Amino acid sequence: MKLALLLINVTLLFIGTCGGPLLMRLYFTHGGKRIWFSSWLETGGWPILLIPLTIAYVRRRLSKPSTPTKIFYMKPLLFLASTVVGILSGVDNYLYAYGVALLPVSTSSLVIASQLAFTAGFAFLLVKQKFTSYSINAVVLLSVGAGVLALHTSGDRPAGESNRQYLLGFFLTLGASVLYGFVLPLVEYSYKKARQEISYTLVMEFQMVMCFFATALCTVAMIVNNDFQAIAREAREFDLGEAKYYVVVVVSAIIWQCFFIGVVGVIFCSSSLLSAIMIALSLPVTEVLAVIFFNEKFTSEKGVSLGLSLWGFVSYFYGEIKLKKKLKKNTETETVAPSSTPEP
């Protein structure tokens, strides 16, 4: 069951990681200009979670009709943790949306791949993540792969965009990568320090509270920036038409919610490091889709960066396979050893 749950969450994560950036870029390339609104869409679909949470509540109530049924499992400590994670996620959403507004999807995706290095570092500090030579090699390769893109900034710069704007987009996306690299281990740390049993229902509650506060932060910023008044005008002026504008907005909110559910689900089933690896692993798919749908240039720097990233993935998974084999062998040895000792 846990393996099945992991596969479901990995699928959701892949859908969000590949579809979210493409829809966000579609919004910006066809007339969308609202950064905070685009940030809002990343977590604004949180009410969708009320559906599975309501189903889970009804099932609990029907299974034990004679006992009182809790509406929410979350205790104050975990609620506080999810609030902090939510506010950090809101800031991260803004940095990422601003970066995507200035960079091609293929470039921003490669930069985001560097978050694996930051996730690894923060996971080591917060949850004492253990490393092998293979995982360290993967982190270095992915970091270098993202750094290669900074060496040549004119090859895929969008038309009408200055070199300064391109660099701004690059460093904002890198900042989003650093911050999210901290958020993932922080979620895992929150689970470990929750002082209550972590179930998948509780994971969804954590996700809902997190997205609520991230959305609240973006909502306040939108009010200050007068974004709500501008949405109707922006929809009328959208290159693809007013109806398709709202389709892009609604589908974006749903796709991004798939991403966040997948992220916290993978952390629940495994670890924050695996979640970061799955995000980075979707990179080749996002690259290909960006080239197909947006006719983006696939420069030599992107080729080198992609090659280093894939090398890093292979290195990590090879190391994980070797480590599991070693642990299995050690376990079998420990099991056999006592039985071979003669009884007195």
Side-chain angles (χ1 to χ4, degrees):
M1 283 297 293
K2 196 163 188 179
L3 178 61
L5 192 61
L6 177 62
L7 291 174
I8 290 169
N9 282 284
V10 166
T11 303
L12 289 171
L13 191 153
F14 261 77
I15 291 170
T17 308
C18 296
L22 294 172
L23 286 168
M24 185 179 285
R25 187 61 185 167
L26 182 69
Y27 166 80
F28 286 119
T29 54
H30 289 285
K33 296 182 179 66
R34 299 288 159 176
I35 306 294
W36 277 114
F37 178 49
S38 189
S39 308
W40 187 93
L41 290 174
E42 292 184 55
T43 52
W46 65 266
I48 294 171
L49 288 168
L50 290 172
I51 298 172
L53 284 172
T54 301
I55 293 171
Y57 171 75
V58 171
R59 286 186 63 185
R60 292 198 305 272
R61 184 154 188 168
L62 291 175
S63 64
K64 296 180 180 179
S66 58
T67 57
T69 306
K70 287 184 178 181
I71 298 176
F72 290 106
Y73 282 129
M74 188 177 290
K75 292 182 179 179
L77 184 64
L78 198 59
F79 180 85
L80 179 62
S82 59
T83 301
V84 173
V85 171
I87 293 170
L88 290 175
S89 295
V91 175
D92 182 75
N93 291 346
Y94 177 77
L95 294 174
Y96 178 71
Y98 208 148
V100 171
L102 298 172
L103 295 178
V105 175
S106 53
T107 304
S108 62
S109 296
L110 283 166
V111 176
I112 283 295
S114 67
Q115 82 170 37
L116 179 55
F118 303 115
T119 302
F122 288 121
F124 175 76
L125 294 173
L126 291 176
V127 295
K128 310 303 179 186
Q129 178 72 47
K130 294 181 180 179
F131 291 95
T132 64
S133 58
Y134 296 99
S135 58
I136 293 171
N137 184 51
V139 167
V140 171
L141 287 169
L142 284 161
S143 303
V144 173
V148 166
L149 295 174
L151 300 177
H152 184 65
T153 59
S154 60
D156 67 340
R157 192 170 65 239
E161 188 175 289
S162 67
N163 193 53
R164 182 176 175 276
Q165 287 176 308
Y166 186 95
L167 283 172
L168 176 63
F170 178 87
F171 286 111
L172 284 171
T173 308
L174 186 62
S177 181
V178 174
L179 184 54
Y180 207 63
F182 173 68
V183 166
L184 292 179
L186 186 60
V187 172
E188 185 177 357
Y189 182 79
S190 301
Y191 290 169
K192 289 180 180 295
K193 299 295 182 181
R195 296 177 187 171
Q196 64 180 115
E197 184 182 352
I198 303 295
S199 64
Y200 195 67
T201 300
L202 189 60
V203 167
M204 287 192 290
E205 289 179 10
F206 186 96
Q207 166 68 10
M208 187 178 70
V209 174
M210 181 190 81
C211 285
F212 172 81
F213 281 99
T215 306
L217 176 69
C218 294
T219 300
V220 172
M222 284 180 68
I223 292 170
V224 173
N225 205 38
N226 296 320
D227 280 358
F228 286 106
Q229 295 90 321
I231 291 173
R233 184 180 68 253
E234 192 173 73
R236 290 192 298 269
E237 297 172 356
F238 197 60
D239 294 344
L240 301 177
E242 187 173 356
K244 288 184 178 178
Y245 175 88
Y246 290 111
V247 170
V248 169
V249 165
V250 173
V251 175
S252 291
I254 295 171
I255 292 292
W256 278 118
Q257 201 56 221
C258 288
F259 167 76
F260 282 106
I261 293 171
V263 165
V264 296
V266 171
I267 294 173
F268 165 71
C269 296
S270 182
S271 68
S272 57
L273 187 60
L274 180 63
S275 188
I277 287 165
M278 290 297 109
I279 293 171
L281 194 57
S282 66
L283 171 67
V285 180
T286 308
E287 284 282 324
V288 172
L289 292 175
V291 172
I292 293 171
F293 291 113
F294 295 108
N295 297 314
E296 294 182 358
K297 295 178 183 178
F298 195 82
T299 62
S300 58
E301 288 79 14
K302 289 181 184 178
V304 172
S305 182
L306 181 58
L308 290 170
S309 297
L310 291 173
W311 184 7
F313 299 146
V314 173
S315 175
Y316 179 83
F317 284 112
Y318 179 72
E320 285 295 296
I321 291 169
K322 285 198 70 174
L323 182 62
K324 285 185 178 180
K325 284 183 177 179
K326 185 179 178 181
L327 290 173
K328 186 178 180 182
K329 187 178 179 181
N330 291 341
T331 304
E332 289 174 351
T333 304
E334 289 173 3
T335 305
V336 172
S339 60
S340 61
T341 304
E343 294 185 10

